[in-house]
Amino acid sequence: MNAQRPPSPEVDDPTLEADVFARNCTSRPVLQNVASRWGTLAMVALREGPYRFSALRRRVEGVSERMLSQTLQHLERDGLVHREVHETIPPRVEYTLTDLGIQVADQLEALIKVLETNLPRIQAAQAAYHRE
């Protein structure tokens, strides 16, 4: 027998504003999924267009099959990635970004470009830190 839990005012009140700094903000898990190493790389790769699972795994070097599968499931649940099953033999599955996913991936790519452009400065800072 399942007892129903009472609605949580922090989660169920639509008048509350999202505040990622608040402990119970429901945006925190989404941020965690997007800002994870594999979430970020998968989303930015999907900016290039639809990918089948195996091709996306090759594009995002180093990710395990299990981790990519979990990452894509979380991003799909959050409304950032769309999974489409094509009824062929064998079945073919493609992943694409949703409109919201495109917005998020654009911002992630901008962040990546800032980091890549400033990599010499970052490496110099890291070297200086380790010398101290």
Side-chain angles (χ1 to χ4, degrees):
M1 182 156 112
N2 290 337
Q4 288 195 344
R5 73 173 174 82
S8 165
E10 296 88 15
V11 174
D12 299 328
D13 185 349
T15 62
L16 293 177
E17 289 188 32
D19 179 3
V20 76
F21 293 103
R23 177 182 327 172
N24 295 324
C25 184
T26 56
S27 66
R28 275 192 179 187
V30 178
L31 179 63
Q32 182 176 342
N33 295 334
V34 168
S36 73
R37 170 181 26 181
W38 304 125
T40 297
L41 294 174
M43 291 194 62
V44 173
L46 287 169
R47 285 186 80 253
E48 300 166 0
Y51 268 99
R52 292 176 68 176
F53 183 86
S54 57
L56 183 59
R57 185 165 173 234
R58 285 190 300 274
R59 179 70 175 108
V60 181
E61 293 181 15
V63 67
S64 70
E65 186 173 318
R66 179 175 181 263
M67 186 54 67
L68 181 58
S69 179
Q70 286 178 349
T71 298
L72 291 169
Q73 287 174 3
H74 292 154
L75 295 173
E76 181 182 9
R77 181 201 59 213
D78 294 338
L80 303 170
V81 168
H82 174 72
R83 178 181 184 267
E84 184 171 353
V85 178
H86 298 275
E87 299 298 330
T88 59
I89 300 176
R92 189 178 59 142
V93 177
E94 281 187 340
Y95 295 90
T96 56
L97 293 173
T98 63
D99 289 339
L100 177 58
I102 291 169
Q103 290 180 48
V104 172
D106 286 347
Q107 300 301 314
L108 293 170
E109 184 177 50
L111 174 61
I112 288 170
K113 285 183 179 181
V114 168
L115 294 173
E116 289 178 340
T117 301
N118 290 286
L119 195 54
R121 291 172 61 188
I122 293 167
Q123 290 169 328
Q126 290 170 340
Y129 178 86
H130 290 295
R131 280 193 302 267
E132 292 179 4

